[in-house]
Amino acid sequence: HLLTRIQTVLRTLPEIDRAAFLLRVHHGLPYDEIARILPVTPAAGKVKVYRVRKKLIAECIDKEAI
């Protein structure tokens, strides 16, 4: 159920945000490498990953359990 929610949220993201997140989390790349692959600065890549994480937390936490 949680995996389905995560996949749904990831599908709603802009492609560049999703790519930055997956490059960091799934592939473990450092931000300077993400910046080289995507047309962003390392700081922008870091912000994109942070915002995706924040969105995933907001969308995937079962608010009824809190």
Side-chain angles (χ1 to χ4, degrees):
H1 186 58
L2 179 60
L3 182 58
T4 303
R5 281 194 202 165
I6 292 170
Q7 290 171 336
T8 300
V9 172
L10 289 176
R11 275 187 246 128
T12 67
L13 299 171
E15 186 176 340
I16 195 165
D17 293 2
R18 184 172 52 250
F21 178 78
L22 292 174
L23 287 170
R24 178 67 178 172
V25 175
H26 184 67
H27 296 287
L29 295 181
Y31 293 109
D32 60 333
E33 196 66 20
I34 293 168
R36 192 179 64 72
I37 294 168
L38 303 175
V40 297
T41 65
K46 194 172 190 177
V47 168
K48 288 180 180 303
V49 172
Y50 170 78
R51 288 182 180 161
V52 171
R53 284 183 173 149
K54 189 174 174 180
K55 183 170 179 79
L56 283 170
I57 290 168
E59 297 290 330
C60 294
I61 288 180
D62 186 3
K63 293 180 172 90
E64 291 178 13
I66 295 175

